[in-house]
């Protein structure tokens, strides 16, 4: 039976677990193979911290969206609360801070701005405003990476 699980992918538990398992070379290799199989036809919109640097470095269009840790914590808090999770904003902030630190300093595929990425510094909901400026370009792949000194995932 097919079940919709996308609402589970952005839970705090999955977010923390992803940062932990992403340090395991065998897991990263396996995931990259699966992710690359997702590209069919015209392309793919991929969201993640290493989409433009490791998974799809050949993407025709890469967007790197950057927001402050404070803004990202507030957004993430509101997102989790809207899903019924019982969270405290300070804990969300610390969790994002810890993940940023871990992801930028890991030896395998550390978080960084992709080569040739269009960088957006943004303090408001991203795609509602900014996707219009790139939405009409014919891109094979659009890669969004959101980070620290910036935003979460």
């Amino acid at each position: 039976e097919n079940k919709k699980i996308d609402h589970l992918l952005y839970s705090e538990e999955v977010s923390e677990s992803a940062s932990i398992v992403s340090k395991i070379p065998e897991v990263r290799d396996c995931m990259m193979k699966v992710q690359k199989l997702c590209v069919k036809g015209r392309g793919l919109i991929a969201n993640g911290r290493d989409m433009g640097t490791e998974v799809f470095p050949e993407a025709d269009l890469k967007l790197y969206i950057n927001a402050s840790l404070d803004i990202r914590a507030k957004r993430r808090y509101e997102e989790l609360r809207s899903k019924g999770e019982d969270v405290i904003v300070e804990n969300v902030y610390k969790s994002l801070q810890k993940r940023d630190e871990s992801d930028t300093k890991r030896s395998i595929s550390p978080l960084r701005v992709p080569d040739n990425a269009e960088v957006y510094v943004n303090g408001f909901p991203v795609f509602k405003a900014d996707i219009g400026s790139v939405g009409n370009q014919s891109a094979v792949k659009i890669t969004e990476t959101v980070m620290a000194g910036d935003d979460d995932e």
Side-chain angles (χ1 to χ4, degrees), residues 55-70:
V55 183
F56 303 112
E58 74 287 350
D60 292 335
L61 179 61
K62 301 174 192 176
L63 304 178
Y64 185 86
I65 310 205
N66 194 348
S68 73
L69 184 56
D70 287 334

Side-chain angles (χ1 to χ4, degrees), residues 22 24-39 44 50-58 106 108-109:
S22 66
I24 303 169
E26 296 82 5
V27 171
R28 292 191 69 80
D29 290 344
C30 180
M31 286 306 302
M32 282 183 56
K33 288 175 185 166
V34 171
Q35 290 165 321
K36 287 178 182 284
L37 289 173
C38 293
V39 180
L44 171 74
D50 67 351
M51 294 295 110
T53 55
E54 298 295 326
V55 183
F56 303 112
E58 74 287 350
R106 67 179 174 226
I108 301 169
S109 182

Side-chain angles (χ1 to χ4, degrees), residues 87-118:
V87 293
I88 299 169
V89 72
E90 291 83 7
N91 293 347
V92 173
Y93 181 97
K94 289 175 186 174
S95 174
L96 289 175
Q97 188 175 42
K98 181 179 174 184
R99 183 168 181 203
D100 289 346
E101 173 93 6
S102 173
D103 289 356
T104 55
K105 293 186 176 181
R106 67 179 174 226
S107 60
I108 301 169
S109 182
L111 174 61
R112 61 185 171 83
V113 178
D115 292 337
N116 302 320
E118 292 189 38

Side-chain angles (χ1 to χ4, degrees), residues 120-131:
Y120 291 80
V121 176
N122 196 335
F124 51 90
V126 171
F127 277 109
K128 290 185 172 129
D130 292 335
I131 200 62

